[in-house]
Amino acid sequence: MQWIKATTRDALATGPVVFKHPPRQILIIEHNDEVFAIDNRCPHEGFPLAQGTVDSDCILTCNWHNWKFDLSDGKCVLGGDHVTAYATKTEGQDVWVDLTLPSPDAIRARVMPGLQTAFRKNEFGRICRELTRLKMGGLDPLDAVATAVEWSYDKFEYGTTHAFAALADWISLYHQNEGHWDRQLVCLAETVSHMAFDTLRYPEFPYHDDVVSWDESRFLDAVEQEQGPLAESMIVTALQDGMTFSDLESAFTTAALAHYNSFGHSLIYVQKAREVLSAPIAIEPKHILLPLVRHICFATREDLIPEFQQYAGALQQCPTRFGSSETQLDTSGLRKGGLRSALQWTQSAMETHSMGDVFDALLQVNAQNMLQFDTTYEKDISNKVSDSVGWLAFTHAITFSNAVREQCTTLPHLWPAGLLQIACFVGRNQRFCDPTIQLKDWRVDHRDSFLSTAHDVILDNGIRSPIFGAHYLKTTLAVEAELSHAGEQACETLLAALNRLIQTPIKQKHAHRLALQAIELVSRDFPAP
């Protein structure tokens, strides 16, 4: 034990004493002939508890926001997290305080229930404090993130959300900021808070776990038929039999690209699942893969709606082998003519050019579309539902392209589907562009400096809704990944597009537009007399 003489009974007779033993500030109070010692700073906003009020039941109230603490053990009885209480002893007139640090196990036992409470309420400040307590107590805060995944995975009614997709990138950014706990803490708190946001007040949606032996063809058919219980059971059995994501990745990627699934989300989620499960964090594979299979079964098959129905025919007519021409691709066919033109251009380009050349051209044009996004569509309240687009329609084109390159490099037979789905973004987004927006106005001249600034924006974007902050993150890291592979023009356009994105305010809520659309839709059921 580490006993330190802190004050005297005579000093306490005149009122509370704040004993400073840097970095600690310990409040010592004599009440009802007992001596108590707790941290002086309220964990809420740091108000000095020495200026609080003690009642007859030994409850100390922080008068700043009315949080209340039991002096005997530091537990918060009204408010949020607890404060540390210290053992005391009196020898004659001297008051001693035990400053022995609790064991890591004791710290974890105290912190994790607090973190779970903060998670259930999505209290960002307390999430930060509890994670920091783990860090300062010598524990690995990444373990707490893995626990948050466990708290979340069975509360996604329709499967994986961007909370789990962004998890991969937050972990990557966490390791990039080694040695800077403030920046690392943002990464961890943001991902935990996003999981909390997406599961807030949701009940459990249990997964099916019948014993069904793994069979890739049967799994793909179950997904195609939207037989979620069967697909889930096969994944559970496969994992119990010792299979890993590497064994299952082909099936997940194939299922994700079987349709233009959920505007490209499915393939992005598969890519991010791989990244999470290969990251240095102890996450159980089932916590990632069961929500993923549920998502793919529930995913919207965009190629079945009129706007994208040309995709299936285009895929059937794709050449079986790529060309080898080294001539520069003319991308004018990707800049007008809508979806039909984009699909036809991609088919023709595959016949004459290499996979890499076709991918680079599609990526570059998607980057240009993002650069030239006409934000009046985002601001207009009178848009038709089909014209209700925002920045995310354009950032997804980049993150999806990144996912196609990574997943199809491993499974090259899926390149035609991947490239044609990238073309779907190109064709769909064409009509929402403003050609007067020029690359020269957003050109990035100093790449490293700009990317450093982009990371600063990610870590302090000021956006309450985590979905938008997650897209800043995912788009930036996707751009960085593609800079190592893309041609010079594509790189220049990607950086300019990202530059405009992070400098343009995003409209997060469309109250008036949604109100008008609701009136227009509902009024059809109530014709005027």
Side-chain angles (χ1 to χ4, degrees), residues 26 118 137:
I26 300 173

Side-chain angles (χ1 to χ4, degrees), residues 216-424:
E216 183 167 332
S217 296
R218 190 182 180 193
F219 172 79
L220 291 172
D221 185 65
V223 172
E224 181 68 24
Q225 302 303 321
E226 300 184 27
Q227 296 175 342
L230 175 58
E232 291 172 10
S233 294
M234 293 182 74
I235 294 299
V236 170
T237 305
L239 294 174
Q240 289 175 344
D241 289 344
M243 296 182 73
T244 67
F245 181 71
S246 295
D247 302 316
L248 305 170
E249 184 173 7
S250 172
F252 274 107
T253 305
T254 301
L257 283 174
H259 294 272
Y260 186 33
N261 266 348
S262 193
F263 206 53
H265 283 80
S266 296
L267 189 71
I268 296 170
Y269 291 170
V270 171
Q271 173 204 23
K272 296 306 176 185
R274 172 177 52 78
E275 292 178 5
V276 166
L277 293 176
S278 61
I281 179 172
I283 294 176
E284 284 195 44
K286 73 173 184 178
H287 295 160
I288 298 297
L289 299 185
L290 287 176
L292 179 59
V293 71
R294 177 176 286 176
H295 157 80
I296 295 176
C297 286
F298 277 118
T300 304
R301 282 86 186 273
E302 307 283 354
D303 49 298
L304 300 182
I305 65 176
E307 185 176 9
F308 299 106
Q309 280 183 351
Q310 301 164 53
Y311 163 78
L315 182 60
Q316 290 178 351
Q317 298 171 18
C318 273
T320 56
R321 298 179 66 180
F322 285 91
S324 58
S325 173
E326 295 182 1
T327 60
Q328 185 172 355
L329 276 166
D330 177 6
T331 59
S332 58
L334 291 173
R335 303 179 192 278
K336 58 183 179 181
L339 188 68
R340 182 181 299 277
S341 178
L343 292 173
Q344 290 176 345
W345 182 95
T346 304
Q347 286 175 283
S348 298
M350 285 192 281
E351 292 176 351
T352 58
H353 285 73
S354 69
M355 166 274 301
D357 287 344
V358 179
F359 175 82
D360 192 73
L362 289 167
L363 177 64
Q364 193 273 324
V365 175
N366 266 320
Q368 179 171 316
N369 287 348
M370 179 173 153
L371 170 66
Q372 294 183 327
F373 169 46
D374 184 350
T375 56
T376 60
Y377 284 97
E378 187 176 56
K379 299 172 185 175
D380 193 348
I381 66 171
S382 58
N383 285 348
K384 297 182 297 184
V385 173
S386 59
D387 290 346
S388 298
V389 298
W391 276 107
L392 303 195
F394 292 83
T395 63
H396 271 135
I398 307 304
T399 53
F400 178 77
S401 297
N402 172 239
V404 166
R405 181 184 57 74
E406 292 198 2
Q407 297 306 117
C408 293
T409 297
T410 303
L411 300 165
H413 67 283
L414 294 175
W415 268 112
L419 292 173
L420 286 174
Q421 290 185 29
I422 297 174
C424 286

Side-chain angles (χ1 to χ4, degrees), residues 57-84:
D57 295 321
C58 292
I59 302 298
L60 184 151
T61 297
C62 176
N63 294 326
W64 192 242
H65 289 105
N66 206 39
W67 284 28
K68 300 180 185 295
F69 305 92
D70 190 327
L71 286 175
S72 64
D73 56 15
K75 288 185 178 179
C76 185
V77 296
L78 179 66
D81 34 336
H82 313 306
V83 294
T84 299

Side-chain angles (χ1 to χ4, degrees), residues 393-453:
F394 292 83
T395 63
H396 271 135
I398 307 304
T399 53
F400 178 77
S401 297
N402 172 239
V404 166
R405 181 184 57 74
E406 292 198 2
Q407 297 306 117
C408 293
T409 297
T410 303
L411 300 165
H413 67 283
L414 294 175
W415 268 112
L419 292 173
L420 286 174
Q421 290 185 29
I422 297 174
C424 286
F425 282 98
V426 171
R428 193 257 185 171
N429 287 341
Q430 280 174 6
R431 64 192 180 95
F432 304 113
C433 293
D434 177 1
T436 66
I437 298 171
Q438 299 296 308
L439 186 148
K440 64 181 177 62
D441 296 324
W442 298 96
R443 177 179 283 110
V444 171
D445 295 321
H446 304 287
R447 179 183 298 186
D448 291 345
S449 176
F450 166 71
L451 291 174
S452 177
T453 298

Side-chain angles (χ1 to χ4, degrees), residues 85-256:
Y86 301 88
T88 65
K89 67 179 181 180
T90 301
E91 295 180 353
Q93 282 294 312
D94 294 330
V95 174
W96 296 70
V97 175
D98 181 12
L99 300 185
T100 304
L101 289 173
S103 68
D105 287 344
I107 292 171
R108 181 177 177 82
R110 186 178 178 96
V111 169
M112 290 307 294
L115 180 62
Q116 187 167 26
T117 298
F119 179 87
R120 287 173 176 168
K121 297 181 178 180
N122 194 18
E123 295 177 336
F124 191 86
R126 186 173 183 182
I127 290 171
C128 287
R129 294 191 294 271
E130 301 291 15
L131 289 170
T132 299
R133 290 182 179 111
L134 292 173
K135 170 73 173 178
M136 301 301 180
L139 296 162
D140 186 352
L142 280 175
D143 291 343
V145 175
T147 302
V149 171
E150 184 177 359
W151 293 335
S152 308
Y153 87 105
D154 57 359
K155 294 181 176 61
F156 296 125
E157 184 175 6
Y158 302 110
T160 301
T161 71
H162 278 293
F164 275 14
L167 168 63
D169 289 332
W170 283 124
I171 292 173
S172 174
L173 208 59
Y174 170 84
H175 288 294
Q176 290 179 40
N177 283 281
E178 185 72 36
H180 301 276
W181 173 242
D182 57 325
R183 297 172 72 87
Q184 288 189 303
L185 178 57
V186 172
C187 297
L188 301 189
E190 285 280 14
T191 193
V192 170
S193 178
H194 196 165
M195 287 184 256
F197 182 92
D198 282 6
T199 60
L200 196 63
R201 291 184 290 275
Y202 276 91
E204 291 183 7
F205 298 98
Y207 294 95
H208 293 80
D209 57 358
D210 297 330
V211 178
V212 183
S213 297
W214 173 256
D215 180 280
E216 183 167 332
S217 296
R218 190 182 180 193
F219 172 79
L220 291 172
D221 185 65
V223 172
E224 181 68 24
Q225 302 303 321
E226 300 184 27
Q227 296 175 342
L230 175 58
E232 291 172 10
S233 294
M234 293 182 74
I235 294 299
V236 170
T237 305
L239 294 174
Q240 289 175 344
D241 289 344
M243 296 182 73
T244 67
F245 181 71
S246 295
D247 302 316
L248 305 170
E249 184 173 7
S250 172
F252 274 107
T253 305
T254 301

Side-chain angles (χ1 to χ4, degrees), residues 421-500:
Q421 290 185 29
I422 297 174
C424 286
F425 282 98
V426 171
R428 193 257 185 171
N429 287 341
Q430 280 174 6
R431 64 192 180 95
F432 304 113
C433 293
D434 177 1
T436 66
I437 298 171
Q438 299 296 308
L439 186 148
K440 64 181 177 62
D441 296 324
W442 298 96
R443 177 179 283 110
V444 171
D445 295 321
H446 304 287
R447 179 183 298 186
D448 291 345
S449 176
F450 166 71
L451 291 174
S452 177
T453 298
H455 281 219
D456 290 342
V457 171
I458 291 168
L459 293 173
D460 196 21
N461 57 64
I463 296 175
R464 282 187 175 273
S465 178
I467 188 71
F468 294 100
H471 280 79
Y472 277 159
L473 167 73
K474 291 166 64 272
T475 306
T476 299
L477 268 61
V479 167
E480 289 180 330
E482 293 310 312
L483 292 178
S484 301
H485 302 274
E488 183 178 349
Q489 186 177 8
C491 289
E492 186 177 45
T493 311
L494 283 167
L495 289 167
L498 180 61
N499 188 22
R500 182 167 178 246

